Amino acid sequence: MAEPDAVTATSHVAARVATPELLRHLVTDVLRQEAVRKRGGAVVIGVRAQPTWVGASITVDSHEVMVVPCASPLAMRVAFADHLPETGAARPSATIGPVLVLLTDVDETAVGDDVLARLVKPKLFGLDVWQTVKARLGVRRLDPALGEATNRWLAEALLDVPANETSIRNGSLSIDRAVDLVVAATFGLDHVSLEQLLLAAADPVALARFTSASDPVRTGLTATLTARFGPVGALVLGALLRGNGPDALAVGLAARAVVGHVAGSYAQARIEDLTGVAAPDDAAIEALASLAELAFTDLAATQVEATDALLAKADVWVRELQGPNPGSSTVLRSGFEARLSTLGRAVSALAAEIGKPGEIGKADDPVELDDRVSAIRTAVTSLQAHRETNRPTWRTRAEGAVLAARLALWLASGRPGDPADLAAASTGYRDQGAWVDWARRRVFAGDSNEELAAAQRAVGAAADIRRSEENRHFAELLARSTKHDDPGADIGDALPVESVIDAVVLPLAKTVPVLLVVLDGCGLPSFLELAPQFRSRGLLEFGPNGDRRVGVAALPTVTEVSRTSLLAGKLRTGNQADEKREFAAHPGLAALPGAAPVVFHAADLRSEGGAALPAIVRNALGPAGPRVVAAVVNTIDDQLARGTFAAAHRIEDLGSLPWLLAHAIDNGRAVVITADHGHVLGIDVDGRGAAAIGGEGGERWRMADRAPTDDEVVVVGQRVLLGDARGVLMPWHDVLRYAGYHGGYHGGATPDEVLVPLSVYLPAGIEPPSDWDQVVAAAPAWWDLAAPAMVEPAPESVPESAPEPKRPAARKKVEPAENQGALFAAAESSAVPAAGASDAPRHEASGASTGAAGAPVPAVPPWVSALLASDVFKVQLGALGRAKPTPERVTSTLVVLAVRGGVASFSTIADATSMSLTRVSPFVATLTRLLNVDGYPILTVDHGGQEVRLDIALARTQFLAES
């Protein structure tokens, strides 16, 4: 054998345990010696090792090698007799005969000359571990540090590293590379990081590999990796060494709840007991928590089924550690619950400030009210940062909490004056009240979190009172308007349902085929949830001047009146047969070229097996079908009787609607979405409910054969198609009914029942009328809940090219083209945006630069400037071709998102960029293409909430290569 190098010379250990790997290497070296090959015959090799062997023979170069442990010279002589031919003497031969290895820990001087004489060499060979390592890994040189006593464990560990899975650069094995190889082999990792070790600790297979390693290997790994990874490494490896590896990840996730409260706490003692690390401090615990959250993110992306059990275990540890701040976790259920509680307390605190409807309880202290509003915004931002907010399990709860916060901000905004006429009331309900009613419905469902539930009750009750007052005034205006000879004269842009065919459907049908969808029972609050979903199905909404119109139901607001009038194109009552006949006979529709117009009701839309729609419906929507096809989707109306409303309205849940839309798009049809009437839910408030009043009529209307109560109005006129000359009684309060309790009702005088959607959607390739523009229905200001947080960078951190803050320019009437400008220059990337949303809390800091509304103008965060100057951004920008947004708008949008915690409404972005609201939607669509590198959701758009969300951490990672 070759003489040992410096490492080998210091690594011989007497009486080492022989392993198959070590013996194969030794026997190979012996058998390949020229003298042994020439002599041939039996080969006996004496090895200084512990006289223990478990297993059978081994094979080396096609030779079977018998291994015999020998505790004494006598045992060695017996081995000769038992395993060698004749007397054990070697016989000259051209080939090597039997190969025998004798393992003994007897000192060579005590073996005996007769025994030594029979060995292939008259000595005992040592087991050279490092030579074996070099041979099996193809290494020529070893790091001298491997020879240090503290690193000897690596030699044994490296023997378990698969030789064909290593890559040794330059033929040299460094100590760091050696450790990485052992860690990867021990835990089954493809790369070595503390994050991967933490995940391995929670993996039963990887943990079993570590547990089965020898004590020296486990101890050596722990000491070496602790030195490499520092205090947090000591916690992870300490837990592994103590057999607490399965708890390490869960404890790390729970540790977030104790950060800042570690010193002298029970949690400190408990973590010390788990890891063996004496008195871990806040810095180490916080590092462990951050590491665990990073590891959990990777785990959740690849092993979804393992996450729920892990989270449950971590929540148990939060209680075990007596974590005082569970809300600090962005992944644990306890953190989600704590953030719900925080939001609930903030909403309750604001509700306590609100006195009578429309008034502020402490009007002489507006600063305190601003503080309450700011607390809500901060709590919402915190809640939306939690993982559970976007997961199906608890998304509905998070949405309900956010809607409660929006109701609170609506209440705090004060009540405007009563509208002067039905037109103003209708516009006000479209722009404000419908959003309120959307929130009220969801808030009424409540929550299992007691603090949030209490807040929802408080804010919901206050909202009910104010909305009831608004409903009363709307009903009074409706009654006054209906009495006129021309009841449509004072409803402004709203359109009576009986005019929808003549005013909307027919003009469209002269240039493009039309599908008219009647969502029976769909009021404006329900439609607000559905409207943005049409975009994801390939439909864009258009309207005159970009405005969304609404329809006005015929009265009372029941199907036999309003739906028949809608489909007949004139005021009349009827049933489905009447609707089919009147629709086909409508003069304007009948005059269109092609087949006669047709309407399909629920029974007509039920398909035969294996088809989404019946053949007759598919054919009608095809190129040879009628110019105008109508379809009545009854899902919402049917739910009223059954009380089966889902937490949120979704297109895919509305019966045949998804397939109707798909066929319309495939066949180039414009889609008109409307309804015959809306509805109110079956909710009992203030002792109201089924009214103990007799008389003739429906669930929400009665013949006017008596004087109205305080909750009713008398409605009479040509648009009132039931009752007699005295008209009908219709309740303005949304909980009054004249029937038994069920899911919901219609027939009354609330705007939720009277006002219906009237929206036109066009698929790609169909040009809108010349005076139409894309509709962007902006949410009210109080809907925007992003927490504005001003960025105050240190002076030296501001790029030299950044201009001085200045007041935002006034909104321009003429906009520059969206593709204006080429690549962004470095100086341009520092442009300062306009002020944020007008509903942001006030800032009183003296000396701050302010915008036109008195709000501070935020400085450009350094990371935004760096992002815009990055190579990745330039590549993304180049991929857009000519459709590049202006540099000023991109900068302004990123800054306003940054200072608002990553969330901004469409209206906020419009203000920040001096852009019309109708241009925001296509602008952010382009911005999404620009920023979402490799498909990562850096920028997301919530069309329902009219919000844009920026994942700042992900943006920094993708553009600035930050970890």
Side-chain angles (χ1 to χ4, degrees):
M1 293 179 60
E3 290 299 320
D5 56 21
V7 172
T8 306
T10 62
S11 62
H12 284 302
V13 179
R16 179 183 294 277
V17 174
T19 65
E21 185 75 17
L22 287 170
L23 291 183
R24 286 191 187 95
H25 175 71
L26 174 61
V27 173
T28 299
D29 277 355
V30 171
L31 296 183
R32 291 180 180 177
Q33 292 180 19
E34 185 176 357
V36 174
R37 292 199 307 272
K38 286 182 177 180
R39 188 185 72 170
V43 176
V44 183
I45 305 171
V47 178
R48 184 170 57 250
Q50 292 184 19
T52 58
W53 183 256
V54 177
S57 59
I58 60 176
T59 301
V60 177
D61 290 344
S62 74
H63 298 287
E64 182 179 12
V65 179
M66 180 63 64
V67 181
V68 181
C70 301
S72 66
L74 178 60
M76 299 175 75
R77 294 183 179 96
V78 171
F80 292 147
D82 290 345
H83 299 287
L84 293 179
E86 298 178 357
T87 61
R91 295 179 304 168
S93 172
T95 60
I96 294 175
V99 180
L100 178 63
V101 172
L102 305 180
L103 306 178
T104 184
D105 57 355
V106 177
D107 189 88
E108 188 175 298
T109 59
V111 169
D113 292 340
D114 63 317
V115 173
L116 292 176
R118 296 188 180 190
L119 302 180
V120 69
K121 283 192 176 183
K123 71 174 186 174
L124 297 178
F125 286 92
L127 292 174
D128 194 332
V129 180
W130 284 113
Q131 288 293 345
T132 303
V133 169
K134 289 173 64 177
R136 74 189 308 277
L137 298 183
V139 175
R140 296 191 300 275
R141 295 179 299 278
L142 296 174
D143 189 334
L146 290 169
E148 297 175 3
T150 55
N151 295 325
R152 290 177 181 173
W153 63 273
L154 275 167
E156 177 187 343
L158 285 167
L159 294 178
D160 292 328
V161 174
N164 59 347
E165 295 182 10
T166 62
S167 175
I168 309 300
R169 296 180 180 178
N170 304 320
S172 299
L173 181 62
S174 68
I175 188 169
D176 287 339
R177 178 59 175 154
V179 172
D180 288 351
L181 290 173
V182 172
V183 172
T186 302
F187 291 100
L189 305 178
D190 55 1
H191 68 282
V192 180
S193 69
L194 195 52
E195 175 191 345
Q196 288 296 308
L197 285 171
L198 188 58
L199 287 171
D203 180 356
V205 176
L207 188 62
R209 291 186 180 186
F210 177 78
T211 303
S212 63
S214 67
D215 287 342
V217 171
R218 288 189 287 112
T219 304
L221 269 178
T222 300
T224 303
L225 293 177
T226 296
R228 177 187 292 189
F229 293 122
V232 67
L235 293 171
V236 175
L237 275 301
L240 272 170
L241 193 60
R242 288 199 163 203
N244 296 320
D247 287 317
L249 181 53
V251 171
L253 292 174
R256 177 65 66 192
V258 302
V259 171
H261 306 273
V262 171
S265 68
Y266 171 76
Q268 185 182 49
R270 192 72 179 90
I271 293 175
E272 179 176 335
D273 180 57
L274 282 164
T275 64
V277 176
D281 58 16
D282 269 305
I285 299 301
E286 183 171 15
L288 176 63
S290 298
L291 175 68
E293 289 161 356
L294 183 63
F296 174 80
T297 300
D298 288 348
L299 184 69
T302 58
Q303 302 181 41
V304 179
E305 67 283 353
T307 59
D308 289 337
L310 174 62
L311 292 175
K313 186 176 184 179
D315 273 325
V316 172
W317 273 107
V318 170
R319 297 190 292 272
E320 168 67 19
L321 297 178
Q322 300 175 9
N325 188 21
S328 59
S329 173
T330 60
V331 297
L332 296 183
R333 168 78 182 278
S334 56
F336 180 67
E337 292 294 338
R339 294 180 186 213
L340 288 177
S341 295
T342 299
L343 179 55
R345 291 192 296 271
V347 170
S348 293
L350 180 59
E353 294 288 328
I354 299 172
K356 296 179 180 179
E359 300 177 3
I360 301 302
K362 297 182 179 180
D364 58 338
D365 192 4
V367 174
E368 182 171 354
L369 184 66
D370 280 353
D371 289 342
R372 302 293 192 201
V373 171
S374 181
I376 288 177
R377 293 181 183 277
T378 301
V380 167
T381 300
S382 175
L383 177 64
Q384 291 176 332
H386 196 281
R387 173 177 181 266
E388 291 292 341
T389 300
N390 296 313
R391 295 184 70 232
T393 307
W394 298 119
R395 180 185 300 149
T396 298
R397 295 182 64 200
E399 291 171 349
V402 170
L403 289 172
R406 285 171 167 150
L407 277 185
L409 265 61
W410 171 67
L411 290 165
S413 67
R415 182 184 174 189
D418 290 334
D421 54 27
L422 190 60
S426 300
T427 300
Y429 187 74
R430 180 196 66 185
D431 296 340
Q432 297 278 340
W435 297 84
V436 175
D437 284 350
W438 173 5
R440 286 171 65 214
R441 293 177 178 212
R442 298 284 295 278
V443 166
F444 180 80
D447 195 87
S448 59
N449 183 291
E450 293 183 2
E451 290 176 293
L452 176 60
Q456 289 176 323
R457 286 193 299 272
V459 77
D464 289 343
I465 293 172
R466 183 188 292 184
R467 281 290 300 112
S468 293
E469 293 182 354
E470 294 174 348
N471 281 354
R472 178 197 287 270
H473 190 67
F474 179 90
E476 291 170 349
L477 293 174
L478 177 69
R480 187 177 70 189
S481 171
T482 309
K483 288 181 181 179
H484 296 170
D485 292 338
D486 181 6
D490 62 350
I491 62 174
D493 291 335
L495 194 66
V497 291
E498 64 271 18
S499 301
V500 167
I501 291 178
D502 287 328
V504 177
V505 176
L506 270 176
L508 279 173
K510 292 177 180 178
T511 59
V512 63
V514 175
L515 169 65
L516 171 63
V517 177
V518 181
L519 297 177
D520 201 326
C522 181
L524 293 185
S526 300
F527 182 70
L528 283 176
E529 291 188 80
L530 294 170
Q533 300 174 38
F534 290 94
R535 172 186 289 271
S536 65
R537 295 178 179 272
L539 293 166
L540 295 179
E541 183 179 0
F542 289 86
N545 301 315
D547 294 328
R548 176 178 288 169
R549 301 184 71 178
V550 298
V552 182
L555 306 176
T557 51
V558 294
T559 301
E560 65 180 295
V561 170
S562 199
R563 195 176 75 191
T564 304
S565 296
L566 167 66
L567 293 173
K570 59 185 177 183
L571 290 169
R572 64 155 296 168
T573 62
N575 54 28
Q576 291 187 10
D578 297 319
E579 292 166 2
K580 290 180 183 294
R581 183 179 60 256
E582 293 288 344
F583 189 77
H586 185 282
L589 297 179
L592 293 171
V598 60
V599 56
F600 297 107
H601 293 89
D604 305 319
L605 296 171
R606 296 192 188 102
S607 63
E608 62 271 18
L613 291 173
I616 188 174
V617 179
R618 299 196 303 271
N619 293 335
L621 292 172
R627 193 72 174 173
V628 177
V629 175
V632 179
V633 178
N634 285 88
T635 308
I636 294 176
D637 198 48
D638 290 344
Q639 289 173 335
L640 299 179
R642 296 194 301 267
T644 55
F645 287 102
H649 289 297
R650 299 184 305 176
I651 287 178
E652 55 264 37
D653 296 331
L654 298 184
S656 58
L657 181 59
W659 308 111
L660 291 168
L661 298 178
H663 280 277
I665 293 171
D666 290 344
N667 291 283
R669 286 183 177 267
V671 179
V672 179
I673 302 291
T674 188
D676 50 353
H677 55 75
H679 67 269
V680 294
L681 294 184
I683 300 173
D684 287 330
V685 179
D686 298 334
R688 290 179 173 89
I693 300 174
E696 182 181 350
E699 295 175 339
R700 288 268 296 169
W701 70 275
R702 279 290 184 264
M703 300 282 289
D705 54 4
R706 56 171 173 79
T709 67
D710 289 342
D711 292 330
E712 301 167 320
V713 292
V714 176
V715 183
V716 61
Q718 64 179 11
R719 297 196 75 242
V720 181
L721 305 186
L722 297 179
D724 53 26
R726 293 170 295 180
V728 296
L729 299 170
M730 297 170 63
W732 55 262
H733 202 293
D734 53 14
V735 300
L736 180 63
R737 64 182 187 274
Y738 309 118
Y741 179 81
H742 50 76
Y745 318 89
H746 56 91
T750 68
D752 198 346
E753 296 163 283
V754 174
L755 300 178
V756 297
L758 180 54
S759 292
V760 176
Y761 289 90
L762 302 179
I766 296 181
E767 291 295 325
S770 58
D771 59 340
W772 285 28
D773 201 352
Q774 187 175 337
V775 171
V776 179
W782 49 266
W783 197 263
D784 181 4
L785 289 170
M790 302 305 296
V791 176
E792 301 291 348
E796 61 271 19
S797 67
V798 179
E800 293 181 359
S801 59
E804 289 294 320
K806 55 187 178 182
R807 296 180 182 272
R811 181 76 60 83
K812 299 178 181 179
K813 293 183 178 180
V814 180
E815 298 175 22
E818 283 298 319
N819 59 358
Q820 173 183 329
L823 290 176
F824 287 64
E828 291 175 328
S829 68
S830 303
V832 175
S838 60
D839 62 327
R842 299 177 307 175
H843 295 263
E844 302 292 348
S846 60
S849 177
T850 58
V857 177
V860 181
W863 70 265
V864 171
S865 297
L867 183 153
L868 296 174
S870 69
D871 292 338
V872 176
F873 182 81
K874 293 175 182 177
V875 170
Q876 290 288 106
L877 191 66
L880 294 181
R882 298 179 60 189
K884 294 182 179 69
T886 63
E888 295 82 7
R889 285 181 174 169
V890 174
T891 306
S892 298
T893 303
L894 288 177
V895 172
V896 80
L897 283 164
V899 302
R900 299 177 71 82
V903 183
S905 67
F906 278 20
S907 58
T908 299
I909 292 175
D911 288 339
T913 57
S914 297
M915 185 188 306
S916 70
L917 195 56
T918 59
R919 299 297 301 163
V920 172
S921 183
F923 168 70
V924 296
T926 301
L927 201 60
T928 299
R929 294 172 53 202
L930 176 62
L931 296 179
N932 289 358
V933 180
D934 295 332
Y936 283 96
I938 293 172
L939 192 76
T940 56
V941 182
D942 178 1
H943 291 284
Q946 298 289 293
E947 287 181 343
V948 177
R949 298 180 182 180
L950 176 69
D951 189 326
I952 296 175
L954 189 57
R956 293 164 71 107
T957 298
Q958 294 300 314
F959 284 92
L960 307 181
E962 295 183 4
S963 59

